Amino acid sequence: MRTRITVPDNSLTRLRVALTVFFALDGFVFAGWVVRIPAIKEQTGASASALGLALLGVSAGAVITMMLTGRLCRRYGTHRVTVVCAVLLSLSVALPPLTHSAVVLGAVLLIFGAAYGSINVAFNSAAVDLVGALRRPIMPSFHAAFSLGGMLGAGLGGLVAGALSPTRHLFGLTVIGLLVTAVAGRTLLRIPAPTPSREVPQQTSAPRRQGTRTRGLVVTFGLIALCTAYGEGALADWSALHLEHDLEATPGVAAVGYSCFALAMTIGRLTGTRLLERLGQTRTLVGGGITAALGMLLGALAPSVWAALLGFMITGLGLANLFPVAVERAGRLAGPEGVAIASTLGYGGMLLGPPAIGFMADWFSLPAALTSVAALAATAAVIALLTRRAAG
């Protein structure tokens, strides 16, 4: 069964623009913080291990608040929660450069992580409702905006790093974030959220069994998100090391590895709507998982730098639309709580990837460890194939 209210097309277009801005802002702010981590490490005098523990505050804050945000979206609406979380995110990004110890840094990163995790659940939930109202698979375009915002934030951060202190840089991000929120938030608050379109799995004899079936499907899509995010986290932390140590690339060329992956993922998401309209969600998930698996096998086992870079690009194209589709399907099944579950599992995959690769690299080798990305991408394809009827 599906229910829907009629919203004027021009309002839906303005709503899409506003949500796209918030996705881009999220990526822009987060990337701006990431590029200043080395300077803040020096400022706090933290050791590598102490900094690593402090950085866990971002992850802990995000995971703790994601499920709570799903319930807040149910009660107050996704648009209101998105705007409030954007304000909190913009304010909290200015806190890390004010700290002078690893303990205090970890505490403020807990706040920053809570805002970051919350806004991700809120605007993904709003995007799911808009996708249902438009009846077009536009979810990848929002995640492309996040990727583009991240690239812009990282690029700008690199440019101003030599001229501005972390305090001035991140305070500037606060000002930009609040201004963007004031403009885009006005649009978001004025337009009512479309009535959510919910997919009901095949009917069962008992409502309790149907609810269990729905939760099972939501977790299934969350596992697809986990498999995708595992690859993103692993490549972010280990691709440069693989190119430099295993393939003897120069540091400059090694740094290009993740850039190739991120650029390919952005391109894949920009073309994701057309791909979904042509192939449908199941074939997109299966094809993307297989493509990513083959690309990562090339990237991990290739004997030359350029072949490995090509493999990273193929991996990015394959993984590009798996996370957006998984989150959108979970949201259509269970609303904001579904988005929260899928996002939490996905974020867990991003946290699991880097340390898992590190342990496997110690036990075997880094190229062998990186093939786990291919294994999980293939797993995502298998999950999508096995659940195609139940999810449809």
Side-chain angles (χ1 to χ4, degrees):
M1 298 292 293
R2 298 187 181 186
T3 58
R4 194 185 309 277
I5 62 171
T6 301
V7 181
D9 289 342
N10 61 335
S11 295
L12 294 180
T13 301
R14 288 188 289 119
L15 179 56
R16 181 178 180 180
V17 171
L19 286 174
T20 300
V21 169
F22 277 110
F23 272 84
L25 176 66
D26 186 42
F28 179 79
V29 170
F30 190 79
W33 140 249
V34 167
V35 299
R36 301 316 298 254
I37 289 177
I40 292 175
K41 175 183 182 297
E42 183 178 350
Q43 175 182 303
T44 58
S47 64
S49 59
L51 177 66
L53 290 174
L55 292 176
L56 283 177
V58 178
S59 308
V63 171
I64 289 170
T65 57
M66 277 179 168
M67 295 305 299
L68 174 62
T69 305
R71 292 192 286 270
L72 291 176
C73 287
R74 283 280 193 194
R75 182 168 184 176
Y76 299 106
T78 57
H79 292 184
R80 289 181 182 177
V81 176
T82 297
V83 173
V84 171
C85 291
V87 172
L88 294 176
L89 181 72
S90 300
L91 293 174
S92 61
V93 76
L95 297 177
L98 303 180
T99 62
H100 296 281
S101 71
V103 174
V104 179
L105 177 62
V108 301
L109 288 181
L110 194 68
I111 300 172
F112 178 67
Y116 177 72
S118 296
I119 194 173
N120 272 270
V121 171
F123 60 39
N124 270 296
S125 298
V128 168
D129 293 342
L130 180 58
V131 168
L134 291 174
R135 300 190 182 188
R136 289 193 65 209
I138 62 169
M139 196 69 172
S141 68
F142 294 119
H143 288 260
F146 173 85
S147 298
L148 289 171
M151 294 172 67
L152 180 60
L156 179 63
L159 288 175
V160 304
L164 295 179
S165 67
T167 302
R168 290 184 176 181
H169 175 202
L170 297 187
F171 180 74
L173 294 185
T174 294
V175 174
I176 293 172
L178 292 176
L179 289 175
V180 171
T181 301
V183 176
R186 177 180 295 184
T187 300
L188 204 61
L189 293 176
R190 285 181 174 179
I191 301 175
T195 299
S197 174
R198 299 283 174 257
E199 292 186 1
V200 180
Q202 186 178 356
Q203 295 291 333
T204 59
S205 57
R208 174 183 249 170
R209 287 180 60 194
Q210 183 173 313
T212 302
R213 186 181 179 85
T214 299
R215 285 192 294 274
L217 283 172
V218 168
V219 172
T220 298
F221 285 113
L223 291 176
I224 293 176
L226 184 152
C227 292
T228 305
Y230 177 97
E232 291 187 53
L235 282 166
D237 285 14
W238 292 101
S239 58
L241 192 65
H242 169 57
L243 292 172
E244 187 171 348
H245 287 192
D246 298 319
L247 300 178
E248 299 181 350
T250 64
V253 173
V256 172
Y258 182 71
S259 298
C260 289
F261 170 79
L263 179 61
M265 179 168 279
T266 303
I267 294 172
R269 286 174 171 174
L270 287 172
T271 59
T273 295
R274 181 171 296 181
L275 187 68
L276 285 164
E277 288 176 335
R278 285 192 171 190
L279 301 181
Q281 291 181 334
T282 297
R283 282 188 286 181
T284 298
L285 290 173
V286 174
I290 294 173
T291 300
L294 295 175
M296 198 59 232
L297 287 176
L298 176 61
L301 304 178
S304 69
V305 172
W306 304 111
L309 291 176
L310 176 61
F312 290 163
M313 293 190 71
I314 295 172
T315 304
L317 289 172
L319 292 180
N321 297 303
L322 270 64
F323 190 93
V325 171
V327 170
E328 192 258 335
R329 292 304 299 271
R332 288 176 67 182
L333 284 165
E337 289 89 347
V339 173
I341 292 171
S343 298
T344 301
L345 286 171
Y347 205 82
M350 188 168 288
L351 297 178
L352 175 66
I357 295 292
F359 284 120
M360 286 186 284
D362 286 339
W363 295 334
F364 307 106
S365 67
L366 182 53
L370 287 172
T371 61
S372 65
V373 175
L376 284 185
T379 300
V382 171
I383 292 173
L385 186 63
L386 292 178
T387 59
R388 64 190 183 281
R389 292 183 179 178

